[in-house]
């Protein structure tokens, strides 16, 4: 009987220990998820925009193209291929800097499943090529995303002028990043392994998301 009581006490202590550890683990996971959600994103700008291998960053309208470049663009449209490449500069900010009841913690973005949206039209998908660390300093980190797509595939129905004007709006001299959005689902490395955001985020240039 005495042996049974001792074993019962030991079992009870073990159960209590496991319960406390479980509660601690749950609390840590909860805190990790909370910090994870605090990461913020914003589109900074679009740079190095080229259409049919023509740099359009200093061009504001169709009439500003040289005759040679105009012919190149017209020929590209005629072949139903209008290749564009540019860099979308995405900013990421980690507010976990030790203030406002946060713990100063760096966050490593392991994956960034994204879809590029131009003028409210979903286009290409992509991901980052290597992990990005966002320090817990409250400062933003630039994530340059190289974009390559065929504008004709998604906007050919707008006609020649429509597709060129869209390119100029996004990456020309008077570009407006408001035409660009990024639909993302980040995966962040944690002490419990990689954790993906529970839902996707639509990132714009006007405010942190």
């Amino acid at each position: 009987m005495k042996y049974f009581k001792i074993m019962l006490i030991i079992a009870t202590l073990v159960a209590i220990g496991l319960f406390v550890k479980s509660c601690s683990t749950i609390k840590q996971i909860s805190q990790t998820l909370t910090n994870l959600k605090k990461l913020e994103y914003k589109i900074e700008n679009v740079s190095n925009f080229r259409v049919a291998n023509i740099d359009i960053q200093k061009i504001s309208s169709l009439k500003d193209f040289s005759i040679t470049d105009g012919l190149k663009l017209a020929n590209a449209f005629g072949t139903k291929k209008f290749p564009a490449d540019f860099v979308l500069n995405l900013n990421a900010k980690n507010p976990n800097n030790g203030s406002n009841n946060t713990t100063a913690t760096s966050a490593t973005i392991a994956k960034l499943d994204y879809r590029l949206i131009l003028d409210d039209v979903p286009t290409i998908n992509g991901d980052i090529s290597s992990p990005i660390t966002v320090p817990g300093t409250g400062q933003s980190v630039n994530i340059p995303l190289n974009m390559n797509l065929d504008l004709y595939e998604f906007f050919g129905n707008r006609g020649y002028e429509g597709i060129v004007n869209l390119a100029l709006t996004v990456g020309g001299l008077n570009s407006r990043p408001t035409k660009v959005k990024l639909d993302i689902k980040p995966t962040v490395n944690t002490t419990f392994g990689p954790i993906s955001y529970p839902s996707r985020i639509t990132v714009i240039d006007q405010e942190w998301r």
Side-chain angles (χ1 to χ4, degrees):
M1 182 65 70
K2 184 177 181 180
Y3 173 78
F4 176 76
K5 288 182 178 180
I6 293 174
M7 292 302 296
L8 181 60
I9 292 173
I10 293 175
T12 301
L13 291 175
V14 169
I16 292 173
L18 290 174
F19 176 76
V20 171
K21 183 178 181 180
S22 176
C23 289
S24 177
T25 300
I26 292 173
K27 184 178 180 180
Q28 290 176 10
I29 293 175
S30 176
Q31 185 62 49
T32 297
L33 291 174
T34 299
N35 291 340
L36 178 69
K37 292 178 181 178
K38 288 180 180 177
L39 284 176
E40 299 176 333
Y41 304 89
K42 182 174 71 170
I43 293 175
E44 181 65 20
N45 57 40
V46 169
S47 60
N48 303 326
F49 203 111
R50 302 181 70 84
V51 176
N53 207 30
I54 299 171
D55 186 351
I56 66 170
Q57 293 181 101
K58 296 181 179 180
I59 297 175
S60 59
S61 66
L62 268 169
K63 62 181 178 61
D64 295 330
F65 285 103
S66 67
I67 295 177
T68 301
D69 287 344
L71 287 173
K72 287 181 180 179
L73 293 175
N75 287 335
F77 187 84
T79 63
K80 298 184 178 181
K81 296 286 184 182
F82 215 75
D85 59 88
F86 58 92
V87 177
L88 189 154
N89 293 296
L90 175 69
N91 277 0
K93 184 169 68 173
N94 181 3
N96 301 308
N97 58 3
S99 63
N100 298 322
N101 297 318
T102 64
T103 302
T105 309
S106 294
T108 299
I109 304 171
K111 294 182 179 180
L112 190 69
D113 174 25
Y114 68 77
R115 169 166 282 188
L116 174 68
I117 301 173
L118 295 179
D119 202 16
D120 293 325
V121 176
T123 61
I124 58 173
N125 298 305
D127 203 341
I128 53 177
S129 58
S130 58
I132 303 291
T133 298
V134 186
T137 59
Q139 297 178 337
S140 63
V141 171
N142 181 55
I143 305 175
L145 301 175
N146 294 312
M147 301 292 179
N148 298 277
L149 72 157
D150 180 4
L151 291 178
Y152 192 95
E153 178 183 349
F154 302 100
F155 304 100
N157 61 339
R158 299 189 180 189
Y160 174 70
E161 289 192 14
I163 201 170
V164 174
N165 285 330
L166 173 63
L168 291 173
T169 299
V170 174
L173 182 62
N174 300 315
S175 60
R176 299 195 299 274
T178 51
K179 292 288 185 178
V180 184
K181 298 177 184 177
L182 207 61
D183 173 55
I184 65 173
K185 188 177 177 67
T187 297
V188 179
N189 285 337
T190 73
T191 54
F192 305 100
I195 296 179
S196 297
Y197 275 48
S199 59
R200 302 186 71 86
I201 305 170
T202 299
V203 184
I204 58 178
D205 73 310
Q206 297 173 335
E207 59 187 61
W208 292 101
R209 295 291 180 94

